Amino acid sequence: VEPFTGGFTGVADDKNTVTQFELLQNYPNPFNPSTAIQYTIGGWTNDPPVSVRLVIYNILGQEVKTLVAGTQQPGTYHITWDGTDNSGKRVPSGIYIYRLIAGSYASAKTMVLVK
């Protein structure tokens, strides 16, 4: 028997896995009175934070509510929208668009508020 002379190549560390940028469909949809939005900021977990904005718009393209405005580390995030605007007032039933801009990534999806 000969001694092992090879080297170790390493063991995968789940804390450093690469993730893709992604904006998922809100749930539930249609919703009343609130809905959950999930998104993923891509990169290695030890990468520097990226600028992130998650904004709700009405069907006319007018800003209704800013849910996220700042920087975030790579990872998966969940946020709940309670159907209110930036001043705290309940918005009417209708179709709304939510848009995520994170670094150079941008995506938008639609949702329906039913009262």
Side-chain angles (χ1 to χ4, degrees):
V1 176
E2 294 184 21
F4 175 73
T5 58
F8 291 101
T9 59
V11 177
D13 183 353
D14 288 340
K15 295 183 291 185
N16 289 324
T17 57
V18 176
T19 57
Q20 299 289 334
F21 285 90
E22 185 176 23
L23 177 62
L24 298 178
Q25 186 63 52
N26 67 300
Y27 183 82
N29 189 32
F31 70 97
N32 180 10
S34 65
T35 189
I37 299 169
Q38 179 178 318
Y39 60 95
T40 300
I41 305 300
W44 296 91
T45 55
N46 57 353
D47 281 350
V50 297
S51 177
V52 177
R53 283 186 51 82
L54 179 60
V55 180
I56 309 290
Y57 298 92
N58 64 21
I59 198 68
L60 299 174
Q62 300 164 324
E63 183 177 318
V64 172
K65 178 109 179 202
T66 299
L67 297 175
V68 178
T71 59
Q72 292 181 323
Q73 294 289 118
T76 299
Y77 296 86
H78 305 266
I79 191 158
T80 300
W81 181 41
D82 61 2
T84 62
D85 64 16
N86 281 328
S87 63
K89 296 178 185 172
R90 305 280 303 154
V91 299
S93 295
I95 298 171
Y96 292 88
I97 300 148
Y98 57 106
R99 183 170 190 224
L100 173 69
I101 300 172
S104 61
Y105 173 83
S107 183
K109 297 198 180 288
T110 59
M111 59 183 157
V112 178
L113 171 60
V114 178
K115 291 187 178 181

